[in-house]
Amino acid sequence: MAKKKQKKPLLSPGMKMGMIALLIPVAITVYVLAFFAWKELQTFPIFEKLAQQKAIEEIQQHFDMNIPEQYIPVYVAAEEKYGVPWTLLAAHHRIETRFSSMKSLVSPAGAVGHMQVRP
């Protein structure tokens, strides 16, 4: 009977360890570069718009009536300027005039406007 030839491994154990030692830093570098590239991509207008849309949808889930999207930037600007939480402003606007959907924006008590402020 003929002896079976043992196959010689393609890579020696030392070569395998060298490859692993080389590939780990390469993998880490690729991961870090992908992370920073993704952060940079998120600043593109299309991604900002998608993130803003998602945030609005999450906020709308907490209200029984959808907040009109055109008012949200106004509420946020007022929050930044006056320190009043924008959600409180939205809730006040909803209670007083149902987001300005009422026919008359003048109450019987004399309050006027979208937020029903008394003159």
Side-chain angles (χ1 to χ4, degrees):
M1 286 201 233
K3 284 186 171 180
K4 291 185 179 179
K5 273 189 169 178
Q6 282 189 343
K7 284 188 173 181
K8 186 178 175 184
L10 290 175
L11 298 173
S12 68
M15 186 67 133
K16 288 179 184 177
M17 291 303 289
M19 292 287 284
I20 290 172
L22 242 143
L23 289 175
I24 288 176
V26 168
I28 291 171
T29 303
V30 168
Y31 176 77
V32 168
L33 289 175
F35 174 79
F36 286 116
W38 177 245
K39 286 292 185 188
E40 191 65 33
L41 281 174
Q42 287 178 333
T43 62
F44 284 9
I46 189 165
F47 289 114
E48 287 180 349
K49 190 172 183 176
L50 289 173
Q52 184 181 26
Q53 187 66 28
K54 184 177 178 186
I56 289 171
E57 288 172 5
E58 287 177 9
I59 290 166
Q60 298 286 20
Q61 292 175 355
H62 301 292
F63 291 90
D64 63 341
M65 183 178 187
N66 284 345
I67 302 170
E69 290 182 26
Q70 70 264 24
Y71 292 127
I72 292 176
V74 176
Y75 300 144
V76 172
E79 176 184 34
E80 291 171 359
K81 186 172 183 178
Y82 300 108
V84 178
W86 78 265
T87 51
L88 178 64
L89 295 170
H92 182 79
H93 192 192
R94 186 233 180 265
I95 294 297
E96 293 297 336
T97 62
R98 304 201 48 84
F99 298 117
S100 303
S101 62
M102 298 171 64
K103 288 182 182 178
S104 173
L105 294 179
V106 178
S107 75
V112 296
H114 298 278
M115 302 291 270
Q116 293 292 292
V117 178
R118 291 191 69 186

